[in-house]
Amino acid sequence: MTSSDQTSAPVSVDFWFDPSCPWAWMTSRWVDEVARQRPLDVTWHIMSLAVLNEDKDVSEDYRAFFPRALRYTRLVSAAKELHGDAIVKPLYDALGTRIHPGGSTDVDSVIAGALEEVGLDADFARHADSDEFDGPMRSSHADGIGRVGQEVGTPIVSVDGVAFFGPVISPAPKGDEALALWDGIVAAARYPGFFELKRTRTVDPIFD
């Protein structure tokens, strides 16, 4: 890292995630790695795969996943509304660690452990089953998806106002590889005529 990297003004990054999505989790670990080496000012936002697909023709197996996913998004939305932006990333980390590398499908156990980890009362779990904060959750979702279009999913990343879906990566790169990917993705996204680059996934999410 050069001295200019260390002293330059922070780059504004917005990241939209659904806690249930393993691919968003991988991308978030990459952004964390870049943030350890570059001055990034990252704001974390909730979005929802359940909301994204509520009017779409998807398989029954995929649709069966949405109620579980919605509980997590509702929990994070409530935490943000009641405790502010600062709680969003720690709660995402606590949930995601249990869901993804931890491999837990027990939603109640995941929520209980995550709430304890971030210092919220166990009773806060009630928000996972409440639509009280669905309005802000849907607004956050619409803000993110409105920047890239309905045909994509999670995660959505915006760098200094330039938004894109993904990248979809596995495993999350580290060190110089993480920076090289960051520079390449951001450079491509900043070209106004660049829209899509894709190839078939050959591996599942590889967690640390």
Side-chain angles (χ1 to χ4, degrees):
M1 182 166 59
T2 67
S3 58
S4 62
D5 287 331
Q6 298 179 51
T7 58
S8 59
V11 174
S12 177
V13 179
D14 291 275
F15 191 108
W16 282 263
F17 65 92
D18 183 310
S20 297
C21 178
W23 299 106
W25 178 255
M26 301 299 298
T27 308
S28 72
R29 301 310 95 182
W30 165 63
V31 171
D32 279 350
E33 176 68 13
V34 174
R36 282 189 278 271
Q37 304 178 70
R38 296 274 181 85
L40 303 185
D41 181 12
V42 186
T43 302
W44 301 85
H45 307 271
I46 197 69
M47 64 178 294
S48 171
L49 289 171
V51 171
L52 180 66
N53 292 282
E54 61 187 354
D55 297 323
K56 295 183 180 178
D57 183 15
V58 299
S59 71
E60 288 303 314
D61 286 345
Y62 188 36
R63 191 168 296 282
F65 151 83
F66 295 152
R68 182 173 78 228
L70 190 58
R71 294 186 71 192
Y72 293 134
T73 59
R74 282 174 164 168
L75 187 77
V76 175
S77 181
K80 178 184 183 303
E81 294 305 309
L82 296 174
H83 295 281
D85 288 337
I87 195 67
V88 174
K89 180 58 161 49
L91 183 55
Y92 178 32
D93 289 345
L95 291 168
T97 299
R98 289 164 172 80
I99 296 166
H100 302 302
S104 178
T105 58
D106 184 338
V107 180
D108 291 333
S109 175
V110 167
I111 289 174
L115 292 178
E116 181 178 8
E117 181 176 326
V118 301
L120 293 177
D121 291 340
D123 183 58
F124 199 84
R126 71 186 186 279
H127 292 293
D129 299 302
S130 168
D131 63 1
E132 181 179 1
F133 297 104
D134 277 14
M137 181 265 286
R138 285 178 175 270
S139 293
S140 177
H141 173 90
D143 182 21
I145 208 71
R147 300 173 187 230
V148 291
Q150 291 286 335
E151 69 275 10
V152 300
T154 175
I156 294 166
V157 181
S158 176
V159 181
D160 283 338
V162 178
F164 51 88
F165 162 65
V168 176
I169 51 177
S170 182
K174 293 182 171 57
D176 289 342
E177 283 189 331
L179 297 180
L181 179 63
W182 178 263
D183 290 338
I185 292 292
V186 171
R190 281 178 172 159
Y191 174 61
F194 179 82
F195 299 108
E196 187 171 346
L197 177 68
K198 188 173 183 178
R199 62 181 176 184
T200 300
R201 293 195 295 260
T202 59
V203 297
D204 291 330
I206 300 171
F207 306 118
D208 291 338

